[in-house]
Coordinates of all heavy atoms in Angstrom, one line a residue:
M126 N -19.5 -28.7 -17.0 CA -19.4 -27.9 -15.9 C -20.7 -27.2 -15.6 O -21.4 -26.8 -16.5 CB -18.3 -26.8 -16.1 CG -17.9 -26.1 -14.8 SD -16.4 -25.2 -15.0 CE -15.2 -26.3 -14.1
A127 N -21.1 -27.1 -14.3 CA -22.4 -26.5 -13.9 C -22.4 -25.0 -14.1 O -21.4 -24.4 -14.0 CB -22.6 -26.8 -12.4
A128 N -23.6 -24.5 -14.4 CA -23.7 -23.1 -14.6 C -23.5 -22.3 -13.4 O -23.9 -22.7 -12.3 CB -25.1 -22.8 -15.2
I129 N -22.9 -21.1 -13.5 CA -22.7 -20.2 -12.4 C -23.5 -19.0 -12.6 O -23.4 -18.3 -13.7 CB -21.2 -19.9 -12.3 CG1 -20.3 -21.1 -12.1 CG2 -21.0 -18.9 -11.1 CD1 -18.8 -20.9 -12.1
T130 N -24.3 -18.6 -11.7 CA -25.1 -17.4 -11.7 C -24.6 -16.4 -10.7 O -24.4 -16.8 -9.5 CB -26.6 -17.7 -11.4 OG1 -27.0 -18.7 -12.4 CG2 -27.4 -16.4 -11.6
I131 N -24.3 -15.2 -11.1 CA -23.7 -14.2 -10.2 C -24.7 -13.0 -10.1 O -25.1 -12.4 -11.1 CB -22.3 -13.7 -10.7 CG1 -21.4 -14.9 -10.8 CG2 -21.8 -12.6 -9.8 CD1 -20.0 -14.6 -11.3
N132 N -24.9 -12.6 -8.9 CA -25.8 -11.4 -8.6 C -25.0 -10.5 -7.7 O -24.2 -10.9 -6.9 CB -27.1 -11.8 -7.9 CG -28.0 -12.7 -8.8 OD1 -28.3 -12.2 -9.8 ND2 -28.3 -13.9 -8.3
R133 N -25.3 -9.2 -7.9 CA -24.6 -8.1 -7.1 C -25.7 -7.5 -6.2 O -26.8 -7.2 -6.7 CB -24.0 -7.1 -8.0 CG -23.3 -6.0 -7.2 CD -22.6 -5.0 -8.1 NE -23.5 -4.3 -9.0 CZ -23.1 -3.4 -9.9 NH1 -21.8 -3.1 -10.0 NH2 -23.9 -2.8 -10.7
V134 N -25.3 -7.4 -5.0 CA -26.2 -6.7 -4.0 C -25.4 -5.7 -3.2 O -24.1 -5.8 -3.1 CB -26.9 -7.7 -3.0 CG1 -27.8 -8.6 -3.7 CG2 -25.8 -8.5 -2.2
G135 N -26.0 -4.6 -2.7 CA -25.3 -3.6 -2.0 C -25.9 -2.3 -2.0 O -27.1 -2.1 -2.4
N136 N -25.2 -1.3 -1.5 CA -25.7 0.0 -1.4 C -24.6 1.0 -2.0 O -23.7 0.5 -2.7 CB -26.1 0.4 0.0 CG -24.9 0.2 1.0 OD1 -23.7 0.5 0.6 ND2 -25.2 -0.2 2.2
D137 N -24.6 2.2 -1.7 CA -23.7 3.2 -2.2 C -22.3 3.0 -1.7 O -21.3 3.5 -2.4 CB -24.1 4.6 -1.9 CG -25.4 5.0 -2.7 OD1 -25.7 4.4 -3.7 OD2 -26.1 6.0 -2.3
T138 N -22.1 2.3 -0.6 CA -20.7 2.3 -0.1 C -20.1 0.8 0.0 O -18.9 0.7 -0.1 CB -20.7 2.8 1.4 OG1 -21.6 2.1 2.2 CG2 -21.0 4.3 1.3
K139 N -21.0 -0.2 0.1 CA -20.5 -1.5 0.3 C -21.3 -2.5 -0.6 O -22.5 -2.2 -0.8 CB -20.5 -2.0 1.7 CG -19.5 -1.3 2.6 CD -19.4 -2.1 3.9 CE -18.3 -1.5 4.7 NZ -17.0 -2.1 4.4
G140 N -20.7 -3.6 -1.0 CA -21.5 -4.5 -1.8 C -20.9 -5.9 -1.8 O -19.8 -6.2 -1.2
L141 N -21.6 -6.8 -2.5 CA -21.2 -8.2 -2.5 C -21.7 -8.8 -3.8 O -22.8 -8.5 -4.3 CB -22.0 -8.8 -1.3 CG -22.0 -10.3 -1.2 CD1 -20.7 -10.8 -0.7 CD2 -23.1 -10.7 -0.1
Y142 N -20.8 -9.6 -4.4 CA -21.2 -10.4 -5.5 C -21.4 -11.8 -5.0 O -20.5 -12.3 -4.3 CB -20.1 -10.4 -6.6 CG -20.0 -9.1 -7.4 CD1 -19.3 -8.1 -6.9 CD2 -20.7 -9.0 -8.6 CE1 -19.2 -6.9 -7.7 CE2 -20.6 -7.8 -9.4 CZ -19.8 -6.8 -8.9 OH -19.7 -5.6 -9.6
V143 N -22.5 -12.4 -5.3 CA -22.8 -13.8 -4.9 C -22.9 -14.7 -6.1 O -23.6 -14.5 -7.0 CB -24.1 -13.8 -4.1 CG1 -24.5 -15.2 -3.6 CG2 -24.1 -12.8 -2.9
A144 N -22.1 -15.8 -6.0 CA -22.1 -16.8 -7.1 C -22.8 -18.1 -6.7 O -22.4 -18.7 -5.7 CB -20.7 -17.1 -7.5
Q145 N -23.8 -18.4 -7.4 CA -24.6 -19.7 -7.1 C -24.2 -20.6 -8.2 O -24.3 -20.3 -9.4 CB -26.1 -19.4 -7.1 CG -26.9 -20.6 -6.9 CD -26.8 -21.2 -5.5 OE1 -26.9 -20.5 -4.5 NE2 -26.5 -22.5 -5.4
V146 N -23.9 -21.8 -7.8 CA -23.5 -22.9 -8.8 C -24.7 -23.9 -8.8 O -25.1 -24.4 -7.8 CB -22.2 -23.6 -8.4 CG1 -21.9 -24.7 -9.5 CG2 -21.1 -22.6 -8.4
E147 N -25.2 -24.1 -10.0 CA -26.3 -25.1 -10.2 C -26.0 -26.4 -9.5 O -24.9 -27.0 -9.7 CB -26.5 -25.3 -11.7 CG -27.7 -26.2 -12.0 CD -27.8 -26.3 -13.5 OE1 -27.0 -25.8 -14.3 OE2 -28.8 -27.0 -13.9
G148 N -26.9 -26.8 -8.6 CA -26.8 -28.1 -8.0 C -26.1 -28.0 -6.6 O -26.0 -29.0 -5.9
F149 N -25.7 -26.8 -6.2 CA -25.1 -26.6 -4.9 C -25.8 -25.6 -4.0 O -26.3 -24.6 -4.6 CB -23.6 -26.1 -5.1 CG -22.7 -27.2 -5.7 CD1 -22.6 -27.4 -7.0 CD2 -21.9 -28.0 -4.8 CE1 -21.8 -28.3 -7.6 CE2 -21.1 -28.9 -5.4 CZ -21.0 -29.1 -6.8
D150 N -25.8 -25.8 -2.7 CA -26.5 -24.9 -1.8 C -25.6 -23.8 -1.4 O -26.0 -22.6 -1.2 CB -27.0 -25.6 -0.6 CG -28.2 -26.6 -0.9 OD1 -28.9 -26.3 -1.8 OD2 -28.3 -27.6 -0.2
E151 N -24.3 -24.1 -1.2 CA -23.3 -23.1 -0.8 C -23.0 -22.1 -1.9 O -23.2 -22.4 -3.1 CB -22.0 -23.7 -0.3 CG -22.2 -24.5 0.9 CD -20.9 -25.1 1.4 OE1 -20.4 -26.1 0.8 OE2 -20.4 -24.6 2.4
V152 N -22.6 -20.9 -1.6 CA -22.3 -19.8 -2.6 C -20.9 -19.3 -2.4 O -20.3 -19.4 -1.3 CB -23.3 -18.7 -2.5 CG1 -24.7 -19.1 -2.8 CG2 -23.2 -18.0 -1.1
G153 N -20.3 -18.8 -3.5 CA -19.1 -18.0 -3.4 C -19.4 -16.6 -3.3 O -20.5 -16.1 -3.8
E154 N -18.5 -15.8 -2.7 CA -18.7 -14.4 -2.5 C -17.5 -13.5 -2.8 O -16.4 -14.0 -2.6 CB -19.1 -14.1 -1.1 CG -20.4 -14.8 -0.7 CD -20.7 -14.5 0.8 OE1 -19.8 -14.1 1.6 OE2 -21.9 -14.7 1.2
L155 N -17.7 -12.3 -3.3 CA -16.7 -11.3 -3.5 C -17.2 -10.1 -2.9 O -18.3 -9.6 -3.3 CB -16.3 -11.2 -4.9 CG -15.2 -10.2 -5.3 CD1 -14.4 -10.7 -6.5 CD2 -15.7 -8.8 -5.5
T156 N -16.5 -9.5 -1.9 CA -17.0 -8.3 -1.3 C -16.2 -7.1 -1.7 O -15.0 -7.2 -2.1 CB -16.9 -8.3 0.3 OG1 -15.6 -8.6 0.7 CG2 -17.8 -9.5 0.8
F157 N -16.8 -5.9 -1.7 CA -16.2 -4.7 -2.2 C -16.7 -3.5 -1.4 O -17.8 -3.5 -0.8 CB -16.4 -4.4 -3.7 CG -17.8 -4.2 -4.1 CD1 -18.3 -2.9 -4.1 CD2 -18.6 -5.2 -4.5 CE1 -19.6 -2.6 -4.5 CE2 -19.9 -5.0 -4.8 CZ -20.4 -3.7 -4.9
S158 N -15.9 -2.4 -1.4 CA -16.3 -1.1 -0.9 C -16.1 -0.1 -2.0 O -15.2 -0.2 -2.8 CB -15.4 -0.7 0.3 OG -15.5 -1.7 1.3
R159 N -17.1 0.8 -2.0 CA -17.0 1.9 -3.0 C -16.4 3.1 -2.4 O -16.9 3.7 -1.5 CB -18.4 2.2 -3.5 CG -18.4 3.2 -4.7 CD -19.7 3.3 -5.4 NE -20.1 2.1 -6.1 CZ -19.7 1.8 -7.4 NH1 -18.9 2.6 -8.0 NH2 -20.2 0.8 -8.0
A160 N -15.1 3.4 -2.8 CA -14.4 4.6 -2.3 C -14.9 5.9 -2.9 O -14.9 6.9 -2.2 CB -12.9 4.4 -2.5
S161 N -15.4 5.8 -4.1 CA -15.9 7.0 -4.8 C -16.8 6.4 -6.0 O -16.8 5.2 -6.2 CB -14.8 7.9 -5.3 OG -14.2 7.3 -6.5
P162 N -17.5 7.3 -6.7 CA -18.3 6.8 -7.8 C -17.4 6.1 -8.9 O -17.9 5.3 -9.7 CB -18.9 8.1 -8.4 CG -19.0 9.0 -7.2 CD -17.7 8.7 -6.4
T163 N -16.1 6.4 -8.9 CA -15.3 5.8 -10.0 C -14.2 4.9 -9.4 O -13.3 4.5 -10.1 CB -14.6 6.9 -10.8 OG1 -13.8 7.7 -9.9 CG2 -15.6 7.8 -11.5
L164 N -14.3 4.5 -8.1 CA -13.3 3.7 -7.5 C -13.9 2.6 -6.6 O -14.6 3.0 -5.6 CB -12.3 4.5 -6.8 CG -11.0 3.8 -6.3 CD1 -10.2 3.3 -7.5 CD2 -10.2 4.7 -5.5
V165 N -13.6 1.4 -6.8 CA -14.1 0.2 -6.0 C -13.0 -0.5 -5.5 O -12.0 -0.9 -6.2 CB -15.1 -0.7 -6.9 CG1 -15.3 -2.0 -6.2 CG2 -16.4 0.0 -7.2
I166 N -13.0 -0.9 -4.2 CA -12.0 -1.7 -3.6 C -12.5 -3.1 -3.4 O -13.5 -3.3 -2.7 CB -11.6 -1.1 -2.2 CG1 -11.1 0.4 -2.4 CG2 -10.6 -2.0 -1.5 CD1 -11.0 1.1 -1.1
V167 N -11.9 -4.0 -4.0 CA -12.2 -5.5 -3.9 C -11.4 -6.0 -2.7 O -10.2 -6.0 -2.7 CB -11.9 -6.3 -5.1 CG1 -12.1 -7.8 -4.8 CG2 -12.9 -5.9 -6.2
D168 N -12.1 -6.4 -1.6 CA -11.3 -6.7 -0.4 C -11.4 -8.2 0.0 O -10.6 -8.6 0.9 CB -11.8 -5.8 0.8 CG -13.3 -5.8 1.0 OD1 -14.0 -6.7 0.6 OD2 -13.8 -4.8 1.5
H169 N -12.3 -9.0 -0.6 CA -12.3 -10.4 -0.2 C -13.0 -11.2 -1.2 O -14.1 -10.8 -1.8 CB -13.1 -10.5 1.2 CG -13.3 -11.9 1.6 ND1 -12.2 -12.7 2.1 CD2 -14.4 -12.7 1.6 CE1 -12.7 -13.9 2.4 NE2 -14.0 -14.0 2.1
T170 N -12.5 -12.4 -1.5 CA -13.2 -13.4 -2.3 C -13.2 -14.7 -1.5 O -12.1 -15.1 -1.0 CB -12.4 -13.7 -3.6 OG1 -12.3 -12.4 -4.3 CG2 -13.2 -14.6 -4.5
G171 N -14.3 -15.3 -1.3 CA -14.5 -16.5 -0.6 C -15.2 -17.6 -1.3 O -16.3 -17.3 -1.8
V172 N -14.7 -18.8 -1.4 CA -15.3 -19.9 -2.1 C -15.2 -21.1 -1.2 O -14.1 -21.5 -0.8 CB -14.6 -20.2 -3.5 CG1 -15.3 -21.4 -4.1 CG2 -14.7 -18.9 -4.4
P173 N -16.4 -21.7 -0.8 CA -16.4 -22.8 0.0 C -15.7 -24.0 -0.6 O -15.6 -24.1 -1.9 CB -17.8 -23.1 0.3 CG -18.6 -22.4 -0.7 CD -17.7 -21.3 -1.2
D174 N -15.1 -24.9 0.2 CA -14.4 -26.1 -0.3 C -15.2 -26.9 -1.3 O -14.7 -27.4 -2.3 CB -14.0 -27.0 0.8 CG -12.9 -26.4 1.7 OD1 -12.2 -25.5 1.2 OD2 -12.7 -26.9 2.8
S175 N -16.6 -26.9 -1.1 CA -17.4 -27.7 -2.0 C -17.4 -27.2 -3.4 O -17.8 -27.9 -4.4 CB -18.8 -27.8 -1.5 OG -19.4 -26.5 -1.4
L176 N -17.1 -25.9 -3.6 CA -17.1 -25.3 -4.9 C -15.7 -25.0 -5.5 O -15.6 -24.6 -6.6 CB -17.8 -23.9 -4.8 CG -19.3 -24.0 -4.4 CD1 -19.9 -22.6 -4.3 CD2 -20.1 -24.8 -5.4
R177 N -14.7 -25.4 -4.8 CA -13.3 -25.1 -5.3 C -13.1 -25.9 -6.5 O -13.6 -27.1 -6.7 CB -12.3 -25.4 -4.2 CG -12.4 -24.4 -3.1 CD -11.2 -24.5 -2.2 NE -11.5 -23.7 -1.0 CZ -11.0 -22.5 -0.7 NH1 -10.1 -22.0 -1.6 NH2 -11.3 -21.8 0.3
G178 N -12.3 -25.4 -7.4 CA -12.0 -26.1 -8.7 C -13.0 -26.0 -9.7 O -12.9 -26.6 -10.8
R179 N -14.1 -25.2 -9.5 CA -15.2 -25.1 -10.5 C -15.2 -23.7 -11.2 O -16.1 -23.4 -11.9 CB -16.5 -25.3 -9.8 CG -16.6 -26.7 -9.2 CD -18.0 -26.9 -8.5 NE -18.0 -28.2 -7.9 CZ -18.3 -29.3 -8.5 NH1 -18.5 -29.3 -9.8 NH2 -18.3 -30.5 -7.9
G180 N -14.2 -22.9 -10.9 CA -14.1 -21.6 -11.6 C -14.9 -20.5 -11.0 O -15.1 -19.5 -11.6
V181 N -15.4 -20.7 -9.8 CA -16.2 -19.7 -9.1 C -15.5 -18.4 -8.8 O -16.0 -17.4 -9.1 CB -16.9 -20.3 -7.9 CG1 -17.7 -19.3 -7.1 CG2 -17.8 -21.5 -8.2
G182 N -14.3 -18.5 -8.2 CA -13.6 -17.3 -7.9 C -13.2 -16.5 -9.2 O -13.3 -15.3 -9.2
A183 N -12.8 -17.2 -10.2 CA -12.5 -16.6 -11.5 C -13.7 -15.9 -12.1 O -13.6 -14.8 -12.6 CB -11.9 -17.6 -12.5
A184 N -14.8 -16.6 -12.0 CA -16.1 -16.0 -12.5 C -16.5 -14.7 -11.8 O -16.9 -13.8 -12.4 CB -17.2 -17.0 -12.5
L185 N -16.3 -14.8 -10.5 CA -16.6 -13.6 -9.7 C -15.7 -12.4 -10.1 O -16.1 -11.3 -10.3 CB -16.4 -13.8 -8.2 CG -17.5 -14.7 -7.5 CD1 -17.0 -15.3 -6.2 CD2 -18.8 -13.9 -7.3
A186 N -14.4 -12.7 -10.2 CA -13.4 -11.7 -10.6 C -13.8 -11.1 -12.0 O -13.7 -9.9 -12.2 CB -12.0 -12.2 -10.6
E187 N -14.1 -12.0 -12.9 CA -14.4 -11.6 -14.3 C -15.7 -10.7 -14.3 O -15.8 -9.7 -15.1 CB -14.6 -12.8 -15.2 CG -13.3 -13.5 -15.5 CD -13.5 -14.8 -16.1 OE1 -14.6 -15.3 -16.4 OE2 -12.4 -15.5 -16.4
R188 N -16.6 -11.0 -13.4 CA -17.8 -10.2 -13.4 C -17.6 -8.8 -12.9 O -18.1 -7.8 -13.4 CB -18.9 -10.9 -12.5 CG -20.1 -10.1 -12.1 CD -21.0 -9.7 -13.3 NE -22.0 -8.8 -12.9 CZ -23.2 -9.2 -12.4 NH1 -23.5 -10.4 -12.3 NH2 -24.1 -8.3 -12.1
V189 N -16.7 -8.6 -11.9 CA -16.3 -7.3 -11.4 C -15.7 -6.5 -12.5 O -16.0 -5.3 -12.7 CB -15.4 -7.4 -10.1 CG1 -15.0 -6.0 -9.7 CG2 -16.1 -8.1 -9.0
V190 N -14.8 -7.1 -13.2 CA -14.1 -6.5 -14.3 C -15.1 -6.0 -15.4 O -15.0 -4.9 -15.9 CB -13.0 -7.4 -14.9 CG1 -12.4 -6.8 -16.2 CG2 -11.8 -7.5 -13.9
A191 N -16.0 -6.9 -15.7 CA -17.0 -6.6 -16.7 C -17.9 -5.4 -16.3 O -18.2 -4.5 -17.0 CB -17.9 -7.8 -17.0
D192 N -18.3 -5.4 -15.0 CA -19.1 -4.3 -14.4 C -18.2 -3.0 -14.4 O -18.8 -1.9 -14.7 CB -19.5 -4.6 -13.0 CG -20.7 -5.6 -13.0 OD1 -21.2 -6.0 -14.1 OD2 -21.2 -6.0 -11.9
A193 N -17.0 -3.1 -14.1 CA -16.1 -1.9 -14.1 C -16.1 -1.3 -15.5 O -16.2 0.0 -15.6 CB -14.7 -2.2 -13.6
R194 N -15.9 -2.1 -16.5 CA -15.9 -1.6 -17.9 C -17.2 -1.0 -18.3 O -17.3 0.1 -18.9 CB -15.5 -2.7 -18.8 CG -14.0 -3.1 -18.7 CD -13.6 -4.2 -19.6 NE -12.2 -4.5 -19.5 CZ -11.6 -5.6 -19.6 NH1 -12.4 -6.7 -19.8 NH2 -10.3 -5.8 -19.6
A195 N -18.3 -1.7 -17.9 CA -19.6 -1.2 -18.3 C -20.1 0.1 -17.6 O -20.8 0.9 -18.1 CB -20.7 -2.3 -18.1
E196 N -19.6 0.2 -16.3 CA -20.1 1.3 -15.5 C -19.1 2.4 -15.2 O -19.3 3.4 -14.6 CB -20.6 0.7 -14.1 CG -21.7 -0.2 -14.3 CD -22.1 -1.0 -13.0 OE1 -21.8 -0.5 -11.9 OE2 -22.6 -2.1 -13.1
G197 N -17.9 2.2 -15.8 CA -16.8 3.3 -15.7 C -16.2 3.5 -14.4 O -15.8 4.6 -14.0
F198 N -15.9 2.4 -13.6 CA -15.1 2.5 -12.4 C -13.8 1.7 -12.5 O -13.7 0.8 -13.3 CB -16.0 2.2 -11.1 CG -16.4 0.7 -11.1 CD1 -15.6 -0.3 -10.6 CD2 -17.8 0.4 -11.4 CE1 -16.1 -1.6 -10.5 CE2 -18.2 -0.9 -11.3 CZ -17.4 -1.9 -10.9
R199 N -12.9 2.1 -11.6 CA -11.6 1.4 -11.5 C -11.6 0.5 -10.3 O -12.4 0.8 -9.4 CB -10.5 2.3 -11.5 CG -10.3 3.1 -12.9 CD -9.0 3.7 -13.1 NE -7.8 2.9 -13.0 CZ -7.4 2.1 -14.0 NH1 -8.1 1.9 -15.1 NH2 -6.3 1.4 -13.8
I200 N -10.8 -0.5 -10.3 CA -10.7 -1.5 -9.1 C -9.4 -1.4 -8.5 O -8.3 -1.5 -9.1 CB -11.0 -2.9 -9.7 CG1 -12.3 -3.0 -10.4 CG2 -10.9 -3.9 -8.5 CD1 -12.5 -4.3 -11.3
V201 N -9.4 -1.3 -7.1 CA -8.2 -1.4 -6.3 C -8.3 -2.8 -5.7 O -9.2 -3.1 -4.9 CB -8.1 -0.4 -5.2 CG1 -6.9 -0.6 -4.3 CG2 -8.1 1.0 -5.8
P202 N -7.3 -3.7 -6.1 CA -7.4 -5.1 -5.6 C -6.7 -5.3 -4.3 O -5.4 -5.5 -4.2 CB -6.7 -5.9 -6.7 CG -5.7 -4.9 -7.3 CD -6.3 -3.6 -7.1
L203 N -7.4 -5.3 -3.1 CA -6.8 -5.6 -1.8 C -6.9 -7.1 -1.5 O -6.1 -7.6 -0.8 CB -7.4 -4.8 -0.7 CG -7.3 -3.3 -0.8 CD1 -7.9 -2.6 0.5 CD2 -5.8 -2.9 -0.9
C204 N -7.8 -7.7 -2.1 CA -8.0 -9.2 -1.9 C -6.8 -9.9 -2.6 O -6.6 -9.7 -3.8 CB -9.3 -9.6 -2.5 SG -9.5 -11.4 -2.8
P205 N -6.1 -10.8 -1.9 CA -5.0 -11.5 -2.5 C -5.4 -12.4 -3.7 O -4.7 -12.4 -4.7 CB -4.5 -12.4 -1.4 CG -4.9 -11.8 -0.1 CD -6.2 -11.1 -0.5
F206 N -6.6 -13.0 -3.7 CA -7.0 -13.8 -4.8 C -7.3 -12.9 -6.1 O -6.8 -13.2 -7.2 CB -8.3 -14.6 -4.5 CG -8.9 -15.3 -5.7 CD1 -8.3 -16.5 -6.1 CD2 -9.9 -14.8 -6.5 CE1 -8.8 -17.2 -7.2 CE2 -10.4 -15.4 -7.6 CZ -9.9 -16.7 -7.9
F207 N -8.0 -11.8 -5.9 CA -8.3 -10.9 -7.0 C -7.0 -10.3 -7.5 O -6.8 -10.2 -8.8 CB -9.3 -9.8 -6.6 CG -9.7 -9.0 -7.8 CD1 -10.9 -9.4 -8.5 CD2 -9.0 -7.9 -8.2 CE1 -11.3 -8.7 -9.6 CE2 -9.4 -7.2 -9.3 CZ -10.6 -7.6 -10.0
K208 N -6.1 -10.0 -6.7 CA -4.8 -9.4 -7.1 C -4.1 -10.4 -7.9 O -3.5 -10.1 -9.0 CB -4.0 -9.0 -5.9 CG -2.7 -8.2 -6.2 CD -2.0 -7.8 -4.9 CE -2.1 -6.4 -4.8 NZ -1.4 -5.8 -3.7
A209 N -4.1 -11.7 -7.5 CA -3.4 -12.7 -8.3 C -4.1 -12.9 -9.7 O -3.4 -13.1 -10.7 CB -3.4 -14.0 -7.5
Q210 N -5.4 -12.9 -9.7 CA -6.1 -13.0 -11.0 C -5.7 -11.8 -11.9 O -5.5 -12.0 -13.1 CB -7.6 -13.0 -10.8 CG -8.1 -14.3 -10.2 CD -8.0 -15.4 -11.1 OE1 -8.5 -15.4 -12.3 NE2 -7.4 -16.5 -10.7
A211 N -5.7 -10.6 -11.3 CA -5.3 -9.4 -12.1 C -3.9 -9.5 -12.7 O -3.7 -9.1 -13.9 CB -5.5 -8.2 -11.3
Q212 N -3.0 -10.1 -12.0 CA -1.6 -10.3 -12.5 C -1.6 -11.3 -13.6 O -0.8 -11.2 -14.5 CB -0.7 -10.8 -11.4 CG -0.4 -9.6 -10.4 CD 0.3 -10.1 -9.1 OE1 0.4 -11.3 -8.9 NE2 0.8 -9.1 -8.4
R213 N -2.5 -12.3 -13.6 CA -2.6 -13.2 -14.7 C -3.3 -12.7 -15.9 O -3.3 -13.3 -17.0 CB -3.4 -14.5 -14.2 CG -2.6 -15.3 -13.3 CD -3.3 -16.6 -12.9 NE -2.8 -17.2 -11.8 CZ -3.3 -17.3 -10.6 NH1 -4.6 -16.9 -10.4 NH2 -2.7 -17.9 -9.6
H214 N -4.0 -11.6 -15.8 CA -4.8 -11.0 -16.8 C -4.3 -9.5 -17.1 O -5.0 -8.6 -16.7 CB -6.3 -11.0 -16.5 CG -6.9 -12.3 -16.4 ND1 -7.3 -13.0 -17.5 CD2 -7.1 -13.2 -15.4 CE1 -7.8 -14.2 -17.2 NE2 -7.6 -14.3 -15.9
P215 N -3.3 -9.4 -17.8 CA -2.8 -8.0 -18.2 C -3.9 -7.2 -18.9 O -3.8 -6.0 -18.9 CB -1.5 -8.2 -18.9 CG -1.5 -9.6 -19.3 CD -2.4 -10.4 -18.4
D216 N -4.8 -7.9 -19.6 CA -5.8 -7.2 -20.3 C -6.8 -6.5 -19.4 O -7.7 -5.8 -19.9 CB -6.6 -8.2 -21.3 CG -7.1 -9.4 -20.5 OD1 -6.3 -10.1 -19.8 OD2 -8.3 -9.7 -20.6
W217 N -6.8 -6.7 -18.1 CA -7.6 -6.0 -17.1 C -7.0 -4.7 -16.7 O -7.6 -4.0 -16.0 CB -7.8 -6.9 -15.9 CG -8.6 -8.1 -16.1 CD1 -9.2 -8.6 -17.2 CD2 -8.9 -9.1 -15.1 NE1 -9.8 -9.8 -17.0 CE2 -9.7 -10.1 -15.7 CE3 -8.7 -9.2 -13.7 CZ2 -10.2 -11.2 -14.9 CZ3 -9.1 -10.3 -13.0 CH2 -9.9 -11.3 -13.6
A218 N -5.8 -4.4 -17.2 CA -5.2 -3.1 -16.8 C -6.0 -1.9 -17.0 O -5.7 -0.9 -16.4 CB -3.8 -3.0 -17.5
D219 N -6.9 -1.9 -18.0 CA -7.7 -0.8 -18.2 C -8.7 -0.4 -17.1 O -9.1 0.7 -16.9 CB -8.6 -0.9 -19.5 CG -9.5 -2.1 -19.4 OD1 -9.1 -3.2 -18.9 OD2 -10.7 -1.9 -19.9
V220 N -8.9 -1.4 -16.2 CA -9.8 -1.1 -15.0 C -9.2 -1.4 -13.7 O -9.8 -1.1 -12.6 CB -11.2 -1.8 -15.2 CG1 -12.0 -1.2 -16.3 CG2 -11.0 -3.3 -15.3
V221 N -8.1 -2.1 -13.6 CA -7.5 -2.5 -12.3 C -6.2 -1.6 -12.1 O -5.3 -1.5 -12.9 CB -7.1 -4.0 -12.4 CG1 -6.4 -4.4 -11.0 CG2 -8.3 -4.9 -12.6
D222 N -6.2 -1.0 -10.9 CA -5.0 -0.2 -10.5 C -4.0 -1.1 -9.9 O -4.2 -2.1 -9.3 CB -5.5 0.9 -9.5 CG -6.3 2.0 -10.1 OD1 -6.1 2.2 -11.3 OD2 -7.0 2.6 -9.4

């Protein structure tokens, strides 16, 4: 499976995780809004058809969870994909509302 590199960009209120898959020009994205210093709302995950089935969406979700644990914020999952991932991962309950 090709390597997935994820970068976070944004400011104090809004942001974006961008997933680049080795060998592909298109990227996957996960967008969020920061409601407070300790609360982030994940509102959209998008993966182009060319990257589907490669674990890009899951990798984006896992990265947000890892950042939440490292930086001490909680996640409100408004995005249907992220919400479904959180339901499959009860071990995320420490950071997902």
Side-chain angles (χ1 to χ4, degrees):
M126 192 167 257
I129 301 172
T130 304
I131 300 175
N132 293 303
R133 180 173 65 179
V134 295
N136 57 37
D137 290 340
T138 59
K139 290 191 173 278
L141 172 72
Y142 287 85
V143 179
Q145 177 69 51
V146 180
E147 185 179 0
F149 290 84
D150 292 330
E151 294 183 287
V152 298
E154 299 178 341
L155 182 146
T156 60
F157 66 90
S158 298
R159 188 170 289 278
S161 76
T163 59
L164 192 63
V165 165
I166 300 167
V167 171
D168 50 26
H169 176 73
T170 304
V172 177
D174 289 341
S175 64
L176 298 179
R177 293 193 190 251
R179 299 180 182 280
V181 174
L185 286 162
E187 289 168 2
R188 170 65 188 272
V189 176
V190 169
D192 284 359
R194 288 178 174 147
E196 298 171 24
F198 62 83
R199 294 195 57 78
I200 302 165
V201 175
L203 295 185
C204 166
F206 175 81
F207 189 91
K208 188 177 248 186
Q210 287 292 307
Q212 289 173 345
R213 289 185 194 113
H214 292 276
D216 56 306
W217 294 359
D219 61 317
V220 293
V221 177
D222 285 337

